[in-house]
Structures are given as structure tokens and as C-alpha cells.
Amino acid sequence: MITTLSAEALALNPIRFEVSFKEPQAHYAEITMEIDRVKEDYVDVKMPVWAPGSYLVREFSKNVEGFHAKDANGRPLTSRKVSKNTWRVSSKGAGKIMVSYRVYAFEVSVRTSFIDASHAFLSPTGIFMYVDNQINRPAEVKIIPHKSWNKISTGLMEKEGEVNTYFAADFDILFDAPIEVGNQDVFEFTAAGIPHEVAMVSGGNYDKVRLAKDMAKIVESATAIFGENPNKKYVFIVHNYHSGGGGLEHLNSTVLGASRFNYNSESGYKSFLSLVAHEYFHLWNIKRLRPEALGPFNYDQENYTTNLWIGEGFTAYYDNLLVRRAGFHTEDSYLQMLATDVTAVENRPGNQVQPLSESSFDAWIKYYRQDENSLNSIVSYYNKGALIAMMMDLKILHSTKGQKGLDDVMREAYNEFYKKQGKGYSDAAFKDLAEKVAGTSLDDIYHLVNTAGSPDYNKYLQFVGLELVDLNAGYETPDLGIKTSTTDNKLLVQNVIRGGGAWDGGINVKDELIAINGYRIDATGKELERVVQASRIGDVVKMLVSRDGIIQELAVKVQASKTGKYAFMPAENVTAEQQQLREKWLAEQ
């Protein structure tokens, strides 16, 4: 699939890069950067500190080595580092500056570059530098594959007449176009009138014919929501690992992590399709329809928004829903997955502490930097955002008597903010638009977003004749309120649950549990579990622990477990209207 550019576009004086691989086995890429028409006394060359779609400052400049600059005649130019990610080059009237540097790349993830003898995955924000204040300048990238590699997969446009050379109209586009170089297994399919390329890296037990057919269904299902597909082509880069997962969205491509031998299991295959659906839905939601803070990007620092519950949470709602609409989930299995989200949210004490909007805003410092207390202090804008999306969808279906739903909000928002206004939405603007579609106030939904705590799920589920039940309700299971792990044949405390007996009794994370009520605890925790389960609610047990080598005995009160197990059940006396709305909500396409 080759997309070419006009001579007018190519005449915009791009910054030119060349990427080669002299030592791929040592995990290095060699980069040269040609900056033409330099008129200033100096040029600041910068490396981004984060990758859009992954809200954490990752300090990509830490992987840069051997930065040098010279003029067009090969004469050295003075350069010095002036900040953690900025190199200042004195031009001396050179007119053209040639920069060279190396990047070490050996971190396995969908958002970081990885190079070894078998292939190179280039996550562009960690590979390509830019000239300060020249993000809007075009860029060309020439890839020189290692001699043992023969394929390049990327969403970048190919430059006509030049081998392995690609063009980006600006650096936002360049930074949004990952590049896979190697011997990947490539297959194609067409869906929604758009050619799609799938680059499978590192093998696996996948069936290309089946995948092409089923991924096409996901694409068609997502496109139907928005009424158009804005791509000229789309590229899936799939990294298959012994055990892998995750994905990162891009403008006309995505990078997926998968387990290479999971394609033959029903659950593994459907999980992969949900990942495909999630990242593909981002093509509209986040990459085009976006919060106002997420573009144009500041690549030097965090870009804060309170709306990741929409950008990520709504996408997490639609991923499994699209798989359901495409015919891969039964109604019951889909509802079970929604109940799993409820379980994840309600069994997390942080749900009672952190509002969803704050979870979005603080993603940079909390969600992507979780520690042993995160369970108690934060909530996921993915899980809870998906549940908010569900409740909003059900409320709109109810208020419009099934004529409209969340699909209509997303389509209208895409048309209004992206296509008509060409900018991101504010909190208030998105709410106003959603209420206009719904024909009713959404204050109750936004109250759930802006305050911590458990929603009244059944307030919304009853619209479609369903009821959320806690299968553990009525049972009192003795519990200490800790999670443990075994390390070096020692039973260690991994988490202490807020409000539990261990929390009140002073048990600490990293405490080694030695004995309970005078009985030695085995490293697997079976004896601990036996004694606790034999206790009564309110009993006080004596815990012998080692904390930094100091032996202590602590009194811990046994409490009833607060862990819920949730399921969606049919409500009693379901009306015809409720049944019709449920069919509308969960219908296959």
C-alpha cells in the first residue's frame, strides 16, 4: 500500500532523518538529522519526554548517546546540552546543520522502542528529535534496514521515487507513526472501504484468514458508529510475546502486544479482538475527537486533562461492546464482562477516595506510577469510565425511548468538535452536547464523575430490566485485609487494605509473616488462611512479623471480608419497554 504526496507538499523544506542499524544485536539505532535553511545563531534540538496516549513522562533523552553536529562541509559545530532533553547547536552561519546521535532501545512495551538482532520497533517520540518551535515543519525519514531485514511497516506516507523513504506533513504526524523494521509476517484486508495492513512480529499460532475476516468485522462495527472512516490506510503492528498485552493508539495505526500462542483459545482470541476494537476505536475517540488539552501537544511536559474517563473509559466501554455487536460475544458473556468491571471498581478502596475526573488529571503522577498503596488511593479511569459510559448510554436510551444512545453522542461530538470546529472539547462543551443529544440533564452522571464513591448502578440498569447483585451479600467471610506474595520462601505482605483489620492493627507492606496465634506460617500462606477461616468475626489474632529484621507481635481483629462478587441478573416483572431497550442496547449489527 503506497500513498504518494504532491510536489507542493514535498517542497516545504522538510527536516530529513536517516535511521540505520549498525549494531542491532546491541540494541542501537543510528540517527542522522539534516536541518536546512538555518538563519539563527543557534538551533535548539529537542527529544520529546513522553509518548501521546501514554500519560507518563518517560525521559526518552536518557537513551541518547554520541550527539554531534557539523555543517554541510563536515566541519564540527559546537553543541552543548542546555536541559535534560535539549541540545543547543551553534550554527555559525552554516545554513545547514547535520546532527547525528545514537539511541539505545531495549524496553519491551507498546510505547517504547525495542531493537535486537531480529527486528527494530521504533516508537517515534523516543527516536526522532525536533527543532524547538518548529513542530509544524515537515519531516522525511529514510530507513536503512539491517541486511538481514526485508520489510518496513508504518502508517507514514511513502515518498514517491525513493526507496524506504517516508514523509510526514509535521512532527505531530511523525511522532504518531510507529515504524516496524524486520521480517514481520504481513497480511492485508479491506474494511469500510479502507485497506488495512497487519504486521505480525515474532510468530504465533494465529490464522491469518480468520483474523483478516474477524478484524474486518470489528472495523466495520466501529466505523458504523461515526458514519465514516477517516483513513486512507491503516496499519496494525502486532508484537507477539510469550506473554504479552496492551496497546497504543496512533493516527492511522496501532501497536498491539499479544501472547503468541493464545490465538487458539476462545478467551484468548476474543481478548485479542477486544484489544483490536479498543485501539481502533481510538482512531476517532482521542486521535480526532479529543479533550482540548490533548493537542496540539507540548512534548516537553505533562498535558493535563480531566477527561481521560471519556477518552479511555468510553473506549474501554466500546471495545467489548463492538466485539459483541460483531457477533463474537453472547449477551450473557458480554454482561459478565461488564460485571467484571463493577467488581474491579467496587473491590478497590480507592474508588471511595478518588473522583474519576481527578483520576484522569493525575494519571501522570498516580495511575502510571502505582505503588503498594494505590489500591487504597486511586480508581481506574478505564474500568470506572467504562461503567459511566454504560450508565450514560442507558440513560439516553431511556430518555429518548430507544431513538438515541451513546453512539449518537460520539458521532455528534466527532462531527462538531473535530470536523466542524477543528479543536478539542472542554468539560462543559462535551456535557452540553451530550445533554442536547439526550434531551435531558446529565447532572447525575457528572456528579458520579466528580465525586468519589459507588454509583447506584441499578438506577440505570432498571431501564433495561437488569439488576446488579452482589453474590457475596449475606455471607460473612473472615478476613484480615491483606494481600500476600511469596519471595525467597518468605510470606510477605504485598498490600494492606484500607479499613481492614490489618490496616487498623498496624501491619505494614513488606512485613514478613512468621506466625499466627503461636503457629508457624508456611511460605505459601495456607496455614494463615486456615487459621483466619477458622476464626469468628471480631476475634483478635496475634501476628508475629519480621519488619526490617526486627521481630514484632501485633494484634489484628478479624473482620468480615468486604470483597464483592457482582453479576447482572434479570429484574422481576420486566416490561415490554425495558425488554425493547435491552435488545436495542445489546443488538448485534
Side-chain angles (χ1 to χ4, degrees):
M1 296 179 294
I2 299 177
T3 304
T4 59
L5 292 159
S6 67
E8 181 181 357
L10 292 172
L12 295 176
N13 185 35
I15 293 175
R16 294 176 175 85
F17 293 91
E18 184 177 281
V19 184
S20 59
F21 309 92
K22 294 179 182 178
E23 298 180 299
Q25 82 289 347
H27 321 300
Y28 279 95
E30 319 289 331
I31 296 97
T32 62
M33 177 183 187
E34 179 182 313
I35 309 166
D36 206 352
R37 302 182 191 178
V38 178
K39 299 179 181 178
E40 300 82 3
D41 292 334
Y42 65 86
V43 171
D44 283 347
V45 181
K46 307 173 75 72
M47 177 75 84
V49 303
W50 70 290
S54 180
Y55 306 101
L56 175 69
V57 171
R58 296 183 182 275
E59 310 293 18
F60 293 122
S61 59
K62 71 182 184 294
N63 295 319
V64 174
E65 299 177 14
F67 184 97
H68 295 289
K70 60 185 179 181
D71 64 17
N73 296 315
R75 292 187 292 262
L77 296 174
T78 301
S79 63
R80 63 186 179 92
K81 205 167 184 182
V82 295
S83 76
K84 65 181 181 180
N85 67 320
T86 307
W87 290 259
R88 178 164 293 173
V89 180
S90 299
S91 61
K92 298 180 180 179
K96 178 184 290 187
I97 293 175
M98 307 292 293
V99 169
S100 62
Y101 56 95
R102 310 179 81 201
V103 173
Y104 179 76
F106 196 55
E107 183 177 349
V108 174
S109 81
V110 295
R111 63 195 68 83
T112 51
S113 298
F114 180 91
I115 302 169
D116 68 7
S118 66
H119 77 115
F121 169 62
L122 306 180
S123 183
T125 49
I127 295 292
F128 301 109
M129 297 190 185
Y130 65 97
V131 176
D132 193 21
N133 297 318
Q134 294 188 26
I135 286 290
N136 292 330
R137 193 166 172 179
E140 285 183 13
V141 176
K142 181 177 179 63
I143 303 293
I144 303 177
H146 187 263
K147 61 184 179 182
S148 61
W149 303 338
N150 58 31
K151 293 178 184 175
I152 300 173
S153 297
T154 180
L156 286 171
M157 297 180 181
E158 295 191 24
K159 185 177 178 183
E160 188 175 12
E162 296 192 27
V163 177
N164 297 340
T165 303
Y166 303 87
F167 183 87
D170 57 45
F171 274 74
D172 283 322
I173 292 176
L174 176 62
F175 290 151
D176 214 11
I179 304 170
E180 176 66 33
V181 190
N183 301 307
Q184 56 269 26
D185 183 16
V186 175
F187 64 93
E188 299 181 352
F189 65 88
T190 298
I194 307 299
H196 291 71
E197 174 185 328
V198 183
M200 304 293 281
V201 182
S202 297
N205 60 357
Y206 54 87
D207 180 332
K208 289 188 284 189
V209 174
R210 182 188 183 195
L211 273 178
K213 178 182 177 182
D214 292 347
M215 291 172 73
K217 291 180 181 178
I218 300 299
V219 169
E220 297 282 2
S221 189
T223 303
I225 294 172
F226 295 93
E228 69 173 26
N229 195 306
N231 291 313
K232 293 183 178 179
K233 72 170 185 176
Y234 191 90
V235 178
F236 294 92
I237 298 173
V238 185
H239 292 146
N240 292 296
Y241 306 106
H242 175 69
S243 178
L248 188 65
E249 68 274 7
H250 295 282
L251 192 65
N252 67 340
S253 63
T254 185
V255 185
L256 309 178
S259 298
R260 67 172 60 95
F261 297 121
N262 248 8
Y263 295 97
N264 276 351
S265 75
E266 181 180 1
S267 61
Y269 187 72
K270 290 179 180 178
S271 178
F272 178 74
L273 291 181
S274 292
L275 178 60
V276 168
H278 184 101
E279 301 308 333
Y280 202 83
F281 193 80
H282 272 314
L283 186 161
W284 296 272
N285 192 31
I286 282 290
K287 298 317 301 180
R288 290 168 176 83
L289 169 63
R290 57 175 176 76
E292 57 187 353
L294 297 184
F297 294 116
N298 182 337
Y299 294 100
D300 277 346
Q301 63 184 46
E302 299 88 345
N303 293 235
Y304 294 102
T305 175
T306 56
N307 287 307
L308 291 182
W309 64 275
I310 298 175
E312 290 292 352
F314 280 28
T315 304
Y317 171 64
Y318 272 104
D319 53 24
N320 287 324
L321 185 58
L322 289 174
V323 177
R324 159 64 187 161
R325 289 178 178 177
F328 298 104
H329 287 310
T330 65
E331 180 178 311
D332 286 343
S333 64
Y334 174 67
L335 292 176
Q336 288 173 13
M337 286 183 288
L338 279 176
T340 298
D341 279 332
V342 176
T343 299
V345 170
E346 293 304 317
N347 287 339
R348 191 177 185 99
N351 179 44
Q352 305 298 324
V353 175
Q354 186 185 50
L356 194 52
S357 54
E358 182 182 300
S359 171
S360 301
F361 193 86
D362 281 348
W364 298 89
I365 59 172
K366 292 188 177 182
Y367 187 81
Y368 281 96
R369 297 185 185 275
Q370 295 195 34
D371 59 24
E372 68 281 350
N373 195 48
S374 294
L375 180 69
N376 296 312
S377 60
I378 70 172
V379 68
S380 167
Y381 49 76
Y382 286 92
N383 299 122
K384 194 168 185 179
L387 295 173
I388 292 293
M390 176 196 73
M391 290 183 280
M392 185 182 291
D393 198 3
L394 297 182
K395 180 170 184 177
I396 296 171
L397 282 168
H398 173 70
S399 68
T400 63
K401 299 187 182 301
Q403 296 303 304
K404 293 182 179 180
L406 191 59
D407 286 9
D408 299 276
V409 172
M410 301 307 290
R411 180 169 53 253
E412 184 65 25
Y414 171 76
N415 289 330
E416 176 65 24
F417 299 119
Y418 172 68
K419 296 187 68 178
K420 182 179 177 180
Q421 297 185 21
K423 65 179 184 180
Y425 56 80
S426 65
D427 290 37
F430 191 93
K431 181 174 183 287
D432 288 346
L433 181 143
E435 289 180 330
K436 182 179 178 181
V437 172
T440 188
S441 170
L442 295 176
D443 285 350
D444 54 334
I445 298 291
Y446 273 78
H447 176 75
L448 298 176
V449 170
N450 294 313
T451 58
S454 299
D456 181 358
Y457 300 100
N458 287 327
K459 174 182 177 180
Y460 304 93
L461 288 170
Q462 58 96 13
F463 294 146
V464 290
L466 293 173
E467 181 182 9
L468 180 72
V469 297
D470 180 0
L471 300 178
N472 287 345
Y475 296 93
E476 286 196 337
T477 303
D479 184 54
L480 295 181
I482 57 174
K483 296 181 183 294
T484 62
S485 62
T486 302
T487 303
D488 296 332
N489 208 35
K490 297 177 181 178
L491 187 65
L492 303 179
V493 177
Q494 188 174 2
N495 303 99
V496 180
I497 309 303
R498 183 186 295 271
W503 177 282
D504 295 336
I507 296 290
N508 286 1
V509 169
K510 298 183 181 179
D511 280 354
E512 179 190 355
L513 302 181
I514 299 174
I516 181 169
N517 286 346
Y519 292 95
R520 178 71 174 166
I521 296 174
D522 62 290
T524 65
K526 291 182 179 179
E527 183 65 15
L528 173 65
E529 182 180 1
R530 185 194 67 77
V531 174
V532 172
Q533 293 306 310
S535 302
R536 293 174 297 182
I537 307 301
D539 284 353
V540 175
V541 297
K542 299 294 185 180
M543 300 292 300
L544 192 66
V545 307
S546 173
R547 182 177 300 166
D548 192 30
I550 300 174
I551 305 299
Q552 300 185 38
E553 187 175 67
L554 300 170
V556 177
K557 181 181 288 188
V558 177
Q559 298 186 4
S561 172
K562 300 176 183 178
T563 300
K565 183 179 180 181
Y566 296 91
F568 288 173
M569 298 292 188
E572 294 183 0
N573 303 318
V574 175
T575 66
E577 180 184 0
Q578 289 172 319
Q579 183 63 35
Q580 288 172 359
L581 286 183
R582 186 161 77 196
E583 291 173 357
K584 173 79 172 178
W585 175 39
L586 299 177
E588 293 185 27
Q589 287 183 337

